[in-house]
Amino acid sequence: MVSLFKFRIIFVADKTFAYPMLILLKHPLLTHKLSQLRKKETTTKEFRETMEEIAGLMAYEVTNDLPLKNVIVETPLAKLQTRELDADIVLVPVLRAGLGMVDGITRLIPSARIGHIGIYRDHKTLEPLTYYTKFPGNLADALVMVLDPMLATGGSSGAAIQVLKENGARIIKLVCVVGAPEGVRKIEHDHPDVQIYLASLDEKLDDNGYILPGLGDAGDRLFGTS
Ligand code: PRP
Ligand code: URA
């Protein structure tokens, strides 16, 4: 009989040897849904729904080391000691596209608080410009999950992480869907304490800083703009 444990290792760990802080999530459901997301004919509605599902599946892995506390609960038949989550969780979507990942995660973790950070890339220089921040007060004690579907040059995610650290965050995980090697290298260099999660490490950036093969402009596909 084939061991389930063996499958888990094969699906979850891949290519990570080159990038010490990268965890590449390779669950078949995730890979399948990412393929739907990439297709150019995927509609805005389908794109939104699939992005939410992907975020939920990723959150399942990203939270697999959360602490638990002992609690006593009473079933209709008996009392037992069991365990519940013992962690503050803060989600910080990078506007705009990170917003598409929030609902898929809050469905699983309804107690999560949500901060917002508005950043866009200057189209010519590709430098990130921060235009809005609003965070809950418990950043220092929380697991902070930065959400952005695209890790291209790494400028936007890196800027978001820097602002969060300046506001007290200590435990930060970066959750992106598709990444380029350039972006992973930048985050590992600038923020070596931050674990990075991706559903795919794509090949490279094109001349305009878009991920190849990628999925196009995530914000535009999510919100139906162009
Ligand atoms: C996109 C994307 C990321 C960023 C990634 O945002 O959602 O935030 O680019 O690129 P980087 O790693 O090179 O910084 P964009 O600047 O298009 O802003 P928008 O979502 O508001 O359209
Ligand atoms: N931002 C996107 O939305 N897509 C890319 O490929 C790169 C940056």
Side-chain angles (χ1 to χ4, degrees):
M1 191 166 127
V2 181
S3 136
L4 283 177
F5 182 67
K6 188 174 162 201
F7 272 115
R8 182 179 157 77
I9 295 290
I10 290 169
F11 289 141
V12 171
D14 187 27
K15 288 193 204 170
T16 50
F17 55 87
Y19 304 100
M21 293 309 284
L22 172 62
I23 296 182
L24 200 51
L25 303 175
K26 302 294 279 183
H27 191 288
L29 280 177
L30 200 47
T31 304
H32 173 83
K33 287 179 187 297
L34 177 54
S35 300
Q36 311 309 307
L37 207 61
R38 288 186 193 271
K39 290 180 187 170
K40 63 180 181 201
E41 61 270 23
T42 295
T43 64
T44 301
K45 175 178 184 288
E46 292 163 342
F47 194 90
R48 263 186 219 138
E49 291 168 354
T50 308
M51 181 69 81
E52 279 181 24
E53 290 171 348
I54 285 176
L57 289 168
M58 292 189 78
Y60 182 76
E61 285 293 343
V62 173
T63 55
N64 73 3
D65 59 354
L66 284 183
L68 296 165
K69 63 182 174 206
N70 291 331
V71 292
I72 307 285
V73 304
E74 213 170 331
T75 77
L77 300 178
K79 273 189 180 175
L80 82 156
Q81 182 179 296
T82 179
R83 294 189 295 166
E84 289 180 349
L85 280 182
D86 188 20
D88 288 342
I89 296 174
V90 174
L91 309 180
V92 181
V94 177
L95 310 184
R96 293 176 297 160
L99 288 172
M101 300 174 71
V102 171
D103 287 355
I105 302 179
T106 52
R107 245 193 295 283
L108 295 174
I109 316 172
S111 61
R113 296 190 200 206
I114 302 172
H116 292 87
I117 181 158
I119 300 179
Y120 69 91
R121 300 195 305 178
D122 180 277
H123 281 295
K124 285 210 175 76
T125 63
L126 300 183
E127 286 300 311
L129 297 165
T130 304
Y131 57 88
Y132 181 77
T133 59
K134 184 78 179 177
F135 304 126
N138 63 338
L139 286 183
D141 304 316
L143 163 63
V144 178
M145 291 166 57
V146 176
L147 310 177
D148 192 332
M150 309 307 281
L151 179 62
T153 65
S156 304
S157 293
I161 291 166
Q162 185 58 38
V163 171
L164 283 162
K165 285 181 175 175
E166 287 163 8
N167 280 269
R170 292 179 300 147
I171 307 167
I172 301 175
K173 295 188 176 198
L174 174 61
V175 187
C176 302
V177 178
V178 179
E182 293 88 334
V184 176
R185 277 197 292 271
K186 179 171 173 60
I187 300 299
E188 287 195 340
H189 178 269
D190 294 353
H191 301 286
D193 54 317
V194 172
Q195 190 86 62
I196 306 164
Y197 295 83
L198 291 178
S200 175
L201 180 63
D202 278 12
E203 199 188 332
K204 59 179 181 180
L205 298 179
D206 72 7
D207 293 342
N208 299 313
Y210 276 82
I211 300 173
L212 287 175
L215 49 76
D217 188 306
D220 282 348
R221 297 198 65 186
L222 197 59
F223 294 107
T225 50
S226 59

